[in-house]
């Protein structure tokens, strides 16, 4: 009986997301009086693996295999399920990000393990095993009981704080034989943006809506984001009109994010948009309509013309940075 | 090629969620039920692929696990353009149950591409699609934002952190689709609505499956503090609050 | 006698050609769909008297309108003389209508005066077209042919008036020189004759005879050219006004097939199953020429391409692609193209083209604000918006094709009972502090 946590890496490096997962897994392990085993796939060097120990991973299994040429959910879930069985894992913690969402359900069928997806707190109860989970796009939260012996939890991004619980982990590097028939995905092409802060990783996000009136008005917003070290986002009409790239669209059918701070400029706050940002720790709204629904969801607000307020805000940030 | 689109029946996004029976279930009075928005986009893309005669999609079928009350939503999918529908006559207890039922149907009916929305707007699970693929032992591609068919081979675009990948997988497979799969959902034309009345909805009885999870109660999100307004001429005050009170910058 | 035989032959040829043209058009009309029952004859006669004969809508542009009204009234008067010429030609009589007495003199004198007025007006129109750049006559739909068509028609009318004046002048002078009384009163021609001093009676009789033939032959020619010209409105405008749609502008037609379908959907017995007797209706809305109503087609044949509709269209004025004139002209052109093919091969014939998209784009159709300024402005009561709306009906009801904002609106109305994205529960928030009795339907 142990807690297994799958820590994704990006070009051999872990991100804050990976450490959040280990912190969460450690929290669960503590409740169950057991230990945490982290699993990583791909070439990650020792020092990087050891960093997982800072958050409580007592054992780290690093899978290195040349046959894993691309991310294939069938192949990955097969590897992880073998390890879960070997390690006698009863709880498996995975992220609720793209890869995690692809792996968790397949793993569930292999292990006959119930899944609680998008959890943001440690289990409310151990018997029955109850999780607190987001439903109805954030309009309600459910207490979900997992009845199976093995349980899979996917953790919502940026919902759990990093807790240091340093241990010295044992590292095991394995190169399992991978059944060729399972590795079916062929990658034809990869297009990656470099340099920009990823929206889903960002702690601070500055987002613009239709109230910005025109794509030509974006420079002060981009400047504010850059000064704050923030990622930029937008509402759906803005991406539909082509003012901003589709990757920036946050909302129910766009990206669902949970930054520490979300600054909504010229966004009215339609239900669909709020569904994408409701898990943000703090929301600031700038809108010239005092009755805009966004103010019901935000903690701080300025009623005013976004195009006039933004430059003043930029100046104010520059001032305090001095 | 035969395409199967899985559809969920969910409350319209603007519905104000209320609880019933001591917070153990959702109060369904007055709820307007709609097709899950991601499933709507998924169905739209499937129909766009069918519209292109050179691709050779023979039919687009929709499947739903639910009770007879979901018939209106299923008819809407037919009105939008699906050729026929399957309904597994059972209340959808949890993702495991739903995925297992759908997998059983697919074993009998044989489809080339199964499309699922990445999540449903009610339980935000993101589970059913992947489970169906594993039950059937076929590949699945998740976070799919585009599907094309080139020379008879489906080519998928999937979102990765900071970009996208173009991938191919052999048929049959499950595509778990998200925003971008179609520009906007198709609406039902009058002609489609009329024809929907004559399209077949096959009802199948469920196989015996025990759900692995259960929702025992609901609660409302913790209400947050009311918005603190800062004067438009004094943005420095906002920064002060963010820095010292919220401690986020 | 010879004159009568030749006349009879030319008349026969003319009538034969004209009947062929008309029969052809009737076959095209048979392809179109019903519009509305023609009733309320009292109202219709009223509309015809004010708008057609009174030229009231033409006077909305007062100066040029006056010139047109004069030309129209001139035609109305001169036609009596033309009828007399046909009877004279067939029966060999001379001025057979003179039995009308003083009324005859008034008619003939008015005809003579109007001949001059119309000639002057035509010169004004031609000069305006040739020497000035009139914005209303420009547009993507106004190609070189339309301008040539206009100039040819105007020139023929000018020659008709000149030949009439020449005929009358020749007549009065020949009669005077022959010492015989002239039948009828010719105020203008007498003045013209006064300026001419030499020539014998015989010369003038020749002038009279040749002008007579020139005039009547030009009429025969003109009559047969008109159905193929924008000037078909000479024949079509008065009937088009009589057959006006009498509903208030902006009132949509109800679609019976939709009413039937909604009833079937509301009835729980038929909502989810089709009965055996169900036959899907023919196409919803208008995609191609044969889907238009007979009145739309009548409108398109009557349209004189004056462009007053486009000049008041707010979409066109603000740079959108829509031109109401183009929509009507396109229908006429498409029927001209597809009509013969359908008559030959059946109404279902598909030439892989359509009025929609190949002639009128979706962008034009969706640019319309349905303000009805075009219909209000049209001097002969052409109703453009009904055709535009019917084409939109095809797009939405058959193809589910609509701009994104409209799709969102349809979804909101379906799900929230309102065009916006608010919860159905909040529907009455606006009435919160008002003293209103709310009935929950």
């Amino acid at each position: 009986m142990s807690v297994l946590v799958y820590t994704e890496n990006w070009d051999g490096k872990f991100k804050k997301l990976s450490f959040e997962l280990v912190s969460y897994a450690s929290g669960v392990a503590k409740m169950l009086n057991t230990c945490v085993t982290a699993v990583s796939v791909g070439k990650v060097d020792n020092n990087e693996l050891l960093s997982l120990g800072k958050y409580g991973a007592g054992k780290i299994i690093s899978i290195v295999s040349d046959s894993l040429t691309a991310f294939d959910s069938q192949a990955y879930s097969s590897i992880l399920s073998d390890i879960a069985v070997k390690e006698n894992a009863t709880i498996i913690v995975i992220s609720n990000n793209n890869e995690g969402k692809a792996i968790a359900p397949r793993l569930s069928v292999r292990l006959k393990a119930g899944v609680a997806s998008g959890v943001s707190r440690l289990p409310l109860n151990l018997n029955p095993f109850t999780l607190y989970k987001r439903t109805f796009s954030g309009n309600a939260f459910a207490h979900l009981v997992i009845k199976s012996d093995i349980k899979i939890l996917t953790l919502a991004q940026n919902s759990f704080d990093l807790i240091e619980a340093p241990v010295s982990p044992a590292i095991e590097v394995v190169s399992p034989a991978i059944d060729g028939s399972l590795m079916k995905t062929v990658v034809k092409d990869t297009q990656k943006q470099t340099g920009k802060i990823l929206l889903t990783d960002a702690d601070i996000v500055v987002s613009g809506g239709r109230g910005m009136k025109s794509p030509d008005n974006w420079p002060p917003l981009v400047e504010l984001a850059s000064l704050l070290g923030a990622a930029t986002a937008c509402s759906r009409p803005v991406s539909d009109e082509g003012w901003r790239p589709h990757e920036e669209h946050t909302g129910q059918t766009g990206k669902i994010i949970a930054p520490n701070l979300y600054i909504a400029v010229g966004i009215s706050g339609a239900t669909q948009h709020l569904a994408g940002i409701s898990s943000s720790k703090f929301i600031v709204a700038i809108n010239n309509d005092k009755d805009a629904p966004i103010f019901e969801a935000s903690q701080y607000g300025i009623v005013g013309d976004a195009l006039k307020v933004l430059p003043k805000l930029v100046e104010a940030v520059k001032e305090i940075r001095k | 090629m035969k395409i199967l689109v899985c559809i969920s029946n969910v409350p319209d996004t603007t519905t104000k969620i209320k609880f019933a029976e001591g917070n153990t279930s959702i109060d369904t009075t007055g709820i307007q039920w709609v097709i899950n928005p991601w499933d709507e986009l998924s169905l739209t893309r499937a129909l766009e692929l069918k519209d292109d005669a050179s691709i050779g999609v023979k039919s687009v079928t929709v499947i739903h696990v639910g009770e007879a009350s979901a018939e209106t939503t299923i008819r809407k999918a037919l009105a939008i353009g699906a050729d026929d529908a399957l309904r597994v006559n059972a209340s959808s207890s949890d993702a495991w149950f739903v995925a297992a039922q759908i997998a059983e149907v697919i074993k009998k009916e044989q489809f080339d591409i199964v499309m699922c929305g990445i999540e449903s707007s009610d339980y935000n699970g993101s589970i059913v699609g992947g489970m169906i693929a594993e039950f059937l032992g076929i590949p699945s591609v998740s976070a799919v934002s585009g599907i094309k068919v080139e020379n008879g081979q489906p080519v998928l675009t999937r979102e990765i952190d900071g970009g996208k990948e173009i991938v191919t997988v052999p048929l049959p497979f499950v595509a778990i689709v998200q925003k971008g799969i179609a520009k906007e959902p198709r609406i039902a034309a009058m002609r489609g609505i009329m024809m929907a009345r004559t399209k077949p909805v096959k009802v199948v009885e469920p196989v015996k499956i025990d759900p692995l999870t259960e929702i025992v109660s609901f609660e409302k999100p913790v209400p947050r503090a009311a918005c603190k307004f800062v004067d438009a001429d004094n943005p420095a005050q906002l920064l002060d609050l963010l820095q010292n009170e919220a401690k986020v910058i | 006698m010879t004159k009568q035989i030749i006349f009879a032959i030319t008349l026969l040829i003319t009538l034969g050609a004209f009947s062929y043209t008309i029969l052809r058009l009737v076959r095209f009309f048979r392809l179109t769909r019903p519009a509305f029952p023609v009733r309320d004859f009292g109202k219709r006669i009223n509309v015809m008297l004010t708008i057609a004969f009174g030229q009231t809508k033409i006077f909305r542009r007062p100066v040029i309108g006056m010139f047109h009204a004069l030309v129209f009234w001139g035609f109305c008067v001169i036609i009596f003389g033309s009828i007399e010429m046909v009877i004279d030609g067939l029966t060999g009589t001379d001025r057979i209508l003179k039995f009308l007495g003083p009324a005859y003199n008034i008619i003939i004198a008015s005809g003579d005066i109007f001949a001059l007025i119309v000639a002057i007006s035509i010169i004004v129109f031609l000069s305006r077209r040739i020497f000035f750049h009139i914005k209303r006559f420009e547009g993507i739909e106004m190609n070189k042919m339309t301008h040539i068509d206009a100039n040819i028609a105007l020139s023929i009318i000018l020659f008709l008036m000149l030949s009439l004046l020449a005929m009358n002048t020749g007549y009065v002078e020949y009669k005077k020189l022959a010492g015989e009384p002239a039948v009828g009163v010719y105020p203008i021609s007498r003045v013209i004759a006064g300026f001419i001093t030499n020539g014998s009676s015989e010369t003038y009789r020749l002038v009279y005879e040749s002008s007579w033939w020139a005039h009547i032959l030009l009429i025969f020619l003109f009559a047969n050219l008109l159905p193929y010209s924008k000037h078909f409105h000479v024949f079509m405008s008065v009937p088009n006004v009589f057959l006006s749609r009498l509903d208030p502008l902006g009132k949509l037609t109800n679609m019976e097939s939709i009413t039937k379908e909604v009833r079937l959907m509301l009835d729980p017995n038929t909502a989810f199953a089709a009965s055996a007797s169900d036959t899907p209706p023919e196409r919803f809305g208008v995609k191609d020429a044969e889907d238009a109503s007979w009145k739309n087609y009548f409108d398109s044949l009557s349209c004189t391409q004056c462009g007053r509709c486009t000049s008041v269209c707010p979409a066109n004025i603000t740079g959108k692609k829509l031109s109401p004139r183009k929509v009507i002209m396109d229908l006429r052109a498409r029927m001209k193209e597809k009509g013969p093919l359908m008559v030959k091969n059946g109404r279902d014939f598909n030439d892989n083209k359509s009025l929609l998209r190949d002639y009128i784009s979706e962008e034009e159709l969706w640019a319309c604000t349905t303000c009805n300024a075009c219909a209000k402005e049209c001097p002969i009561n052409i109703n453009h918006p009904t055709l535009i709306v019917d084409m939109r009906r095809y797009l939405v009801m058959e193809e589910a094709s609509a701009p994104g904002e409209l799709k969102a609106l349809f979804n909101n109305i379906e799900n929230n009972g309102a065009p916006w994205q608010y919860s159905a529960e909040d529907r009455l928030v606006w009435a919160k502090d008002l003293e209103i009795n709310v009935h929950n339907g």
Side-chain angles (χ1 to χ4, degrees):
Chain A
M1 133 122 146
S2 63
V3 175
L4 197 70
V5 54
Y6 171 63
T7 45
E8 187 180 344
N9 71 83
W10 290 262
D11 293 323
K13 295 264 177 267
F14 293 122
K15 290 206 277 207
K16 181 163 154 267
L17 167 65
S18 329
F19 304 133
E20 279 168 17
L21 287 164
V22 178
S23 297
Y24 184 85
S26 301
V28 177
K30 205 155 142 212
M31 288 169 80
L32 293 170
N33 222 347
T34 179
C35 52
V36 175
T37 304
V39 182
S40 146
V41 174
K43 265 202 171 57
V44 181
D45 67 27
N46 253 26
N47 280 335
E48 194 67 16
L49 290 171
L50 284 172
S51 66
L52 296 175
K54 196 161 142 203
Y55 300 94
K59 181 170 174 191
I60 299 170
I61 301 178
S62 175
I63 316 245
V64 183
S65 167
D66 287 330
S67 3
L68 285 173
T69 48
F71 174 70
D72 178 290
S73 53
Q74 211 173 5
Y76 273 55
S77 54
S78 150
I79 296 170
L80 287 173
S81 87
D82 287 343
I83 296 189
V85 167
K86 209 172 101 213
E87 297 292 313
N88 212 3
T90 47
I91 311 278
I92 304 170
V93 175
I94 309 182
S95 170
N96 199 22
N97 67 356
N98 285 335
E99 240 188 53
K101 282 197 244 207
I103 296 172
R106 300 202 73 129
L107 198 54
S108 150
V109 171
R110 281 182 172 267
L111 298 170
K112 201 161 174 200
V115 182
S117 57
V119 302
S120 50
R121 295 185 191 172
L122 289 172
L124 302 172
N125 234 316
L126 292 177
N127 205 354
F129 198 84
T130 316
L131 284 316
Y132 182 80
K133 170 200 151 53
R134 177 177 170 269
T135 59
F136 293 97
S137 306
N139 286 319
F141 283 85
H143 292 198
L144 180 80
V145 168
I146 305 182
K147 300 195 253 192
S148 52
D149 293 330
I150 310 180
K151 305 156 177 65
I152 299 178
L153 317 182
T154 70
L155 181 66
Q157 277 187 269
N158 202 28
S159 62
F160 199 76
D161 291 331
L162 298 178
I163 303 172
E164 291 191 20
V167 295
S168 253
I171 299 181
E172 196 183 303
V173 179
V174 291
S175 295
I178 302 197
D179 182 351
S181 70
L182 291 176
M183 183 59 219
K184 294 197 187 104
T185 307
V186 174
V187 176
K188 297 274 179 201
D189 188 28
T190 310
Q191 296 154 16
K192 255 190 174 176
Q193 296 168 306
T194 42
K196 275 171 96 173
I197 304 174
L198 274 192
L199 192 48
T200 39
D201 286 344
D203 284 329
I204 305 178
V205 174
V206 183
S207 178
R210 242 212 285 250
M212 293 287 288
K213 300 274 177 4
S214 140
D216 302 325
N217 295 326
W218 242 258
L221 191 149
V222 174
E223 199 186 351
L224 179 63
S226 141
L227 285 169
L228 294 173
T232 49
C234 68
S235 65
R236 179 160 172 186
V238 166
S239 72
D240 278 353
E241 292 283 330
W243 295 0
R244 298 298 294 175
H246 283 281
E247 294 73 49
E248 285 197 3
H249 165 213
T250 37
Q252 187 187 42
T253 49
K255 291 212 168 58
I256 311 235
I257 56 175
N260 292 341
L261 174 63
Y262 184 82
I263 303 179
V265 187
I267 294 177
S268 64
T271 332
Q272 286 78 2
H273 187 72
L274 293 180
I277 61 162
S278 56
S279 306
S280 311
K281 302 240 170 34
F282 285 93
I283 300 174
V284 172
I286 303 173
N287 194 301
N288 61 3
D289 175 9
K290 67 175 179 15
D291 295 318
I294 190 84
F295 289 122
E296 284 168 43
S298 54
Q299 286 68 56
Y300 302 104
I302 295 183
V303 178
D305 182 353
L307 302 178
K308 295 206 180 83
V309 173
L310 265 179
K312 286 199 203 142
L313 205 48
V314 166
E315 286 311 307
V317 174
K318 283 184 183 155
E319 272 300 309
I320 60 171
R321 290 268 188 253
K322 280 204 194 113
Chain B
M1 243 197 281
K2 283 173 69 181
I3 302 182
L4 180 71
V5 178
C6 305
I7 60 173
S8 256
N9 193 22
V10 299
D12 172 67
T13 320
T14 59
T15 310
K16 300 201 170 161
I17 302 295
K18 292 198 273 283
F19 309 132
E21 295 165 17
N23 286 3
T24 57
S25 65
I26 299 293
D27 181 3
T28 57
T29 44
I31 286 187
Q32 174 73 26
W33 297 94
V34 298
I35 303 178
N36 177 32
W38 286 272
D39 298 338
E40 223 176 350
L41 289 173
S42 171
L43 176 61
T44 299
R45 185 61 193 151
L47 294 171
E48 284 170 1
L49 291 172
K50 180 161 177 242
D51 282 344
D52 183 347
S54 65
I55 295 178
V57 172
K58 221 173 77 183
S59 64
V60 172
T61 308
V62 293
I63 186 167
H64 175 66
V65 176
E67 290 162 342
S69 51
E71 178 104 26
T72 326
T73 302
I74 297 176
R75 288 285 164 192
K76 174 101 189 271
L78 292 172
I80 291 174
D83 297 296
D84 58 310
L86 290 151
R87 178 171 70 83
V88 177
N89 188 23
S91 127
S92 52
S93 0
D94 78 337
W96 174 270
F97 179 85
V98 170
Q101 300 297 341
I102 294 178
E104 277 305 307
V105 171
I106 295 175
K107 279 181 193 156
K108 296 197 192 80
E109 304 264 344
Q110 300 296 322
F111 292 95
D112 299 288
I113 304 179
V114 178
M115 293 174 70
C116 300
I118 191 149
E119 62 181 83
S120 60
S121 63
D122 49 5
Y123 297 106
N124 306 118
S126 302
I127 310 173
V128 171
M131 281 185 173
I132 295 174
E134 191 61 40
F135 275 124
L136 297 170
I138 60 179
S140 59
V141 184
S142 189
V144 174
S145 61
I147 299 186
K148 316 196 275 247
V149 176
E150 283 168 5
N151 303 324
Q153 162 79 58
V155 176
L156 295 84
T157 305
R158 73 170 169 200
E159 299 286 310
I160 56 173
D161 286 339
K164 11 171 110 72
E165 268 180 351
I166 315 291
V167 305
T168 56
V169 280
L171 295 169
F173 63 86
V174 176
I176 300 162
V177 306
Q178 59 167 52
K179 172 195 153 98
I181 189 70
K183 188 162 169 279
E184 59 199 3
R186 230 173 236 206
I187 53 170
M190 191 65 210
R191 177 79 43 196
I193 294 172
M194 289 175 60
M195 283 164 59
R197 285 192 296 122
T198 62
K199 287 181 181 167
V201 177
K202 187 163 136 189
V203 180
V204 291
E205 288 307 308
V207 291
K208 174 113 183 50
I209 305 272
D210 290 318
L212 295 183
T213 63
E214 187 188 341
I215 291 184
V216 293
S217 70
F218 287 96
E219 55 179 83
K220 277 278 169 192
V222 177
R224 304 225 245 180
C227 185
K228 256 191 196 151
F229 286 98
V230 166
D231 194 53
D233 295 315
N234 192 1
Q237 190 193 0
L238 173 67
L239 294 175
D240 179 56
L241 287 166
L242 289 175
Q243 203 166 35
N244 302 317
E245 192 178 84
K247 298 200 184 24
V248 281
I249 57 171
Chain C
M1 196 62 208
T2 348
K3 183 178 161 191
Q4 279 169 261
I5 293 171
I6 297 173
F7 188 84
I9 292 170
T10 52
L11 180 61
L12 224 66
I13 295 172
T14 303
L15 288 175
F18 197 72
S19 307
Y20 168 76
T21 304
I22 296 305
L23 270 169
R24 208 164 162 267
L25 287 176
V26 165
R27 276 192 212 109
F28 296 163
F29 268 102
R30 285 226 172 89
L31 298 164
T32 58
R33 319 204 69 234
F36 44 78
V38 179
R39 297 191 281 242
D40 297 310
F41 287 96
K43 226 171 167 182
R44 292 183 175 283
I45 290 174
N46 218 345
V47 168
M48 187 180 71
L49 288 174
T50 39
I51 291 175
F53 290 107
Q55 298 274 284
T56 45
K57 283 171 118 183
I58 269 286
F59 277 111
R60 286 163 74 90
R61 286 175 180 260
V63 177
I64 205 70
M66 187 59 183
F67 280 110
H68 179 274
L70 289 171
V71 172
F72 174 72
W73 292 325
F75 270 49
C76 289
V77 169
I78 290 169
I79 198 168
F80 288 102
S82 312
I83 294 172
E84 185 186 51
M85 284 169 77
V86 171
I87 302 174
D88 282 346
L90 275 177
T91 58
T93 48
D94 179 54
R95 293 180 160 69
I96 190 157
L97 293 182
K98 61 181 179 271
F99 70 88
L100 292 170
Y104 181 74
N105 286 343
I106 295 172
I107 293 170
I108 293 299
S110 313
D112 196 45
I113 297 169
F114 266 116
L116 179 66
I117 294 174
V118 171
I120 293 172
S121 303
I122 296 299
I123 291 171
V124 168
F125 291 154
L126 270 171
S127 313
R128 195 162 166 257
R129 276 179 175 271
I130 295 170
F131 301 119
F132 293 93
H133 165 67
I134 307 295
K135 189 159 178 287
R136 194 155 52 86
F137 298 151
E138 307 295 322
I140 192 174
E141 67 272 23
M142 303 303 284
N143 57 29
K144 207 168 161 90
M145 262 324 288
T146 64
H147 293 299
I148 293 174
D149 178 11
N151 293 338
I152 289 178
L154 286 173
S155 306
I156 294 180
I157 298 173
L158 181 59
F159 284 124
L160 277 169
M161 297 304 117
L162 292 177
S163 59
L164 179 56
L165 284 170
M167 190 178 102
N168 290 347
T169 306
Y171 178 72
V172 299
E173 197 59 18
Y174 127 69
K175 281 294 189 191
K176 181 173 127 204
L177 290 174
E180 293 161 17
V183 177
V185 177
Y186 305 90
I188 301 296
S189 295
R190 283 212 187 271
V191 171
I192 298 173
F195 286 116
I196 310 167
T197 40
N198 44 357
S200 69
S201 165
E202 190 53 29
T203 325
Y204 287 110
R205 201 186 64 78
L206 271 166
V207 167
Y208 162 61
E209 288 280 351
S210 50
S211 300
W212 188 96
W213 275 101
H215 187 80
I216 200 68
L217 286 175
L218 260 177
I219 289 179
F220 287 167
L221 176 69
F222 197 42
N224 272 308
L225 284 179
L226 284 180
Y228 299 94
S229 156
K230 78 197 223 8
H231 268 81
F232 200 12
H233 85 278
V234 168
F235 287 132
M236 301 295 270
S237 53
V238 175
N240 200 49
V241 174
F242 181 80
L243 294 168
S244 295
R245 185 168 177 263
L246 294 177
D247 280 331
L249 289 181
K251 182 177 176 193
L252 287 182
T253 54
N254 182 43
M255 297 174 76
E256 283 307 317
S257 51
I258 303 296
T259 309
K260 178 172 155 243
E261 184 60 28
V262 171
R263 287 219 175 91
L264 285 168
M265 280 196 262
L266 291 175
D267 176 359
N269 295 327
T270 51
F272 296 136
S275 73
S277 62
D278 247 359
T279 40
E282 281 188 63
R283 181 173 281 169
F284 293 125
V286 171
K287 181 185 187 217
D288 209 346
E290 71 273 14
D291 301 319
S293 72
W294 61 261
K295 185 57 170 68
N296 293 137
Y297 185 48
F298 209 106
D299 279 344
S300 77
L301 291 173
S302 313
C303 171
T304 194
Q305 302 170 12
C306 74
R308 289 170 180 226
C309 52
T310 298
S311 72
V312 296
C313 171
N316 188 276
I317 291 171
T318 54
K320 315 293 184 298
K321 269 178 93 175
L322 174 65
S323 159
R325 168 174 53 191
K326 176 177 180 288
V327 172
I328 300 300
M329 285 173 69
D330 281 347
L331 175 59
R332 185 174 182 179
R334 176 59 181 158
M335 186 58 106
K336 180 170 172 210
E337 180 183 37
K338 199 180 178 194
L341 296 169
M342 285 191 283
V343 166
K344 184 161 170 229
N345 301 307
R347 196 168 178 275
D348 300 330
F349 182 75
N350 180 8
D351 65 343
N352 292 321
K353 276 176 82 173
S354 181
L355 179 65
L356 176 64
R357 295 193 185 102
D358 293 302
Y359 282 81
I360 304 174
S361 66
E362 284 157 279
E363 192 184 334
E364 290 164 68
L365 293 171
W366 291 116
C368 176
T369 66
T370 61
C371 70
N372 275 273
C374 52
K376 191 162 168 94
E377 192 67 25
C378 179
I380 56 171
N381 279 359
I382 289 176
N383 193 304
H384 321 58
T386 47
L387 178 58
I388 293 172
V389 167
D390 277 339
M391 291 185 79
R392 286 183 179 180
R393 278 171 166 165
Y394 169 81
L395 283 170
V396 174
M397 293 200 217
E398 294 278 3
E399 291 189 5
S401 162
E405 301 94 327
L406 283 185
K407 283 188 182 172
L409 180 136
F410 296 147
N411 274 326
N412 291 337
I413 291 178
E414 189 178 336
N415 297 330
N416 309 343
W420 310 279
Q421 274 277 352
Y422 291 121
S423 165
E425 263 189 38
D426 290 342
R427 196 70 182 82
L428 286 169
V429 166
W430 63 276
K432 218 166 45 161
D433 300 319
L434 302 174
E435 303 208 1
I436 294 181
N437 285 331
V438 177
H439 295 269
N440 279 318

